[in-house]
Amino acid sequence: MIESWRWFGPRDPISLTDIRQTGATGIVTALHDLPNGAVWPEADISARRDMIEAAGLKWLVTESIPVHEDIKTGAPGWEHKARNWARSAVALARQGVATICYNFMPVLDWTRTDLAYELEDGATALRFEYAAYAAFDLFILQREGAEACYSADEIAAARARFQAMSPAERDRLTANILAGLPGSEESYTPDSFRERLGSYRDVGREDLFRNLQNFLDFVLPEVEAAGGVLALHPDDPPRSLFGLPRIVSTQADLERIAAMHASRAHGFTLCTGSLGAHPDNDIPALVDLLADRIHFLHLRATRREDDPRSFHEDAHLAGDLDMVAVIRAVRRLERQAGKVLPMRPDHGHRILNDLTGTSTPGYPAIGRLRGLAELRGVACAVDALGTAGAQ
């Protein structure tokens, strides 16, 4: 695995110099200042690449080129948006940034209800609390038809959760869900969010699968010809939110999507946290199943709570995930496929000076450094013992 680090560009409070000191050699980034749907100028790509290389690092993965909502809904003119997406991807590949992580989550990207959930040791983590999410949907957003998505008991629990919140807590929950977390494609107000949800009124799971297929048919030949590979990120959380379809959540979803194209340029980002939040997903088995369709790794762990739809980010070697088994499977994949995968320690707890310093939610310096060191240690141990002998 190539140790890499998510960097949000020159405005990121964690500098390239800081990243160099972590031991990571790869950078995962994007041109975050460009609007969704814009073509990325090749000159801007090369300038960002040169900036990274001047710091002694290499831009390995683009995360991500946002997929416009018109593409996901199949709205009239979606082909123009897809053409722009393909032009950006081709420009990246020509500049030596071949791997493109993207997602196909409708409206919202990754979603959390709490960005500073306090753990027993005083660290803080990201959390998705189902009752708080339902309280927002039912009683703050007041989404039309939302009641049909919940049982009577769930509505009662959501009402109690809502009534227990202060006005400031309700505002904070709204901001956490709608303002856009790092790397998100969009941010919304409640009114604009309701409007965007309305554009999916006639889009179901089968429609979304079809629109993904159409998108891939449109962009994949050009990207592959330029030497690029596409790495689709799973849904986070891996289940429907706000009545929207989600299609990249389970093993069955991944197998169906893999079958859309035989090309090995069509593949996945294996995000152990996103997939691990679904109790039916066996992550080491998924590594073996998807094999050389995996082009990029997000390694982190989540811990499901009493309500298994709720979870929080745990330490990288804790939670509901057997990270040792995952890394063993990755080493088998790399050996058999004859390639080395870029990996980044995904998310991290705010610990030590992270708690008083400035960092992007989910992406503190010291918390991720701890995760990277732990993952590095597991990889070294697996290599020393031998992948086969460690079974």
Side-chain angles (χ1 to χ4, degrees):
M1 298 182 294
I2 305 173
E3 295 179 6
S4 305
W5 193 272
R6 183 75 183 268
W7 181 59
F8 292 97
R11 297 179 182 177
D12 194 320
I14 300 169
S15 69
L16 291 171
T17 301
D18 296 334
I19 296 169
R20 181 81 182 271
Q21 294 172 12
T22 70
T25 58
I27 290 294
V28 178
T29 193
L31 300 184
H32 292 289
D33 52 319
L34 295 182
N36 189 345
V39 177
W40 292 14
E42 197 157 338
D44 291 7
I45 296 170
S46 64
R48 185 62 53 85
R49 181 205 59 205
D50 291 348
M51 176 190 300
I52 292 166
E53 291 184 353
L57 301 161
K58 183 174 177 60
W59 185 358
L60 293 179
V61 180
T62 297
E63 188 178 346
S64 58
I65 310 173
V67 178
H68 198 280
E69 294 297 323
D70 286 354
I71 297 171
K72 298 173 191 175
T73 61
W78 73 266
E79 297 91 344
H80 173 71
K81 306 291 196 314
R83 185 171 295 109
N84 286 352
W85 199 97
R87 288 171 62 190
S88 298
V90 167
L92 283 159
R94 281 201 297 253
Q95 292 299 321
V97 188
T99 303
I100 298 167
C101 171
Y102 70 107
N103 78 72
F104 219 72
M105 289 180 261
V107 186
L108 291 178
D109 201 317
W110 64 295
T111 303
R112 298 292 184 270
T113 58
D114 191 343
L115 307 186
Y117 176 62
E118 187 167 347
L119 303 171
E120 290 184 0
D121 63 1
T124 66
L126 302 177
R127 184 187 187 207
F128 179 84
E129 180 195 351
Y130 188 79
Y133 150 73
F136 171 79
D137 190 20
L138 289 162
F139 303 113
I140 299 177
L141 184 66
Q142 299 180 5
R143 175 172 62 91
E144 182 180 356
E147 294 82 359
C149 296
Y150 304 95
S151 69
D153 287 345
E154 289 169 341
I155 292 173
R159 180 177 289 108
R161 186 71 179 87
F162 172 75
Q163 291 173 344
M165 294 180 197
S166 68
E169 289 171 331
R170 294 172 188 174
D171 289 345
R172 185 161 55 248
L173 175 63
T174 300
N176 290 346
I177 292 176
L178 297 185
L181 294 173
S184 296
E185 298 179 8
E186 304 280 359
S187 62
Y188 298 97
T189 65
D191 286 341
S192 66
F193 185 57
R194 292 186 198 96
E195 181 179 357
R196 177 55 74 183
L197 291 177
S199 69
Y200 281 85
R201 186 171 291 110
D202 298 321
V203 180
R205 268 177 59 84
E206 290 304 313
D207 300 299
L208 196 59
F209 273 117
R210 183 180 64 250
N211 294 342
L212 174 59
Q213 174 85 63
N214 291 340
F215 170 69
L216 290 170
D217 290 345
F218 197 96
V219 306
L220 187 59
E222 287 188 59
V223 176
E224 185 175 19
V229 297
L230 303 184
L232 178 62
H233 189 284
D235 302 326
D236 186 4
R239 57 183 54 88
S240 173
L241 298 180
F242 301 106
L244 296 166
R246 285 194 162 188
I247 60 171
V248 197
S249 296
T250 65
Q251 176 177 323
D253 293 343
L254 297 173
E255 289 182 295
R256 178 173 177 177
I257 291 168
M260 287 180 176
H261 281 276
S263 169
R264 291 301 182 265
H266 162 52
F268 299 96
T269 295
L270 185 86
C271 180
T272 60
S274 299
L275 292 168
H278 195 301
D280 294 340
N281 287 330
D282 181 336
I283 311 300
L286 282 173
V287 176
D288 292 332
L289 175 71
L290 298 173
D292 58 354
R293 293 298 188 95
I294 297 175
H295 300 313
F296 181 35
L297 302 167
H298 287 180
L299 298 185
R300 62 180 170 90
T302 56
R303 183 175 296 278
R304 294 184 295 275
E305 300 176 4
D306 290 341
D307 179 343
R309 295 164 299 186
S310 299
F311 60 88
H312 61 270
E313 309 275 4
D314 211 335
H316 283 71
L317 303 187
D320 301 309
L321 180 70
D322 185 345
M323 187 64 78
V324 175
V326 170
I327 291 179
R328 283 178 182 156
V330 168
R331 287 307 204 210
R332 284 196 301 272
L333 183 164
E334 290 181 321
R335 184 176 65 252
Q336 293 164 6
K339 65 180 182 181
V340 183
L341 292 171
M343 172 277 290
R344 69 173 177 85
D346 196 13
H347 303 172
H349 294 166
R350 295 181 70 212
I351 60 175
L352 305 175
N353 289 357
D354 290 333
L355 292 165
T356 56
T358 300
S359 64
T360 305
Y363 293 92
I366 303 172
R368 279 190 291 165
L369 177 59
R370 173 189 171 183
L372 179 59
E374 291 175 342
L375 296 170
R376 181 183 297 148
V378 171
C380 289
V382 166
D383 290 345
L385 291 171
T387 304
Q391 301 295 330

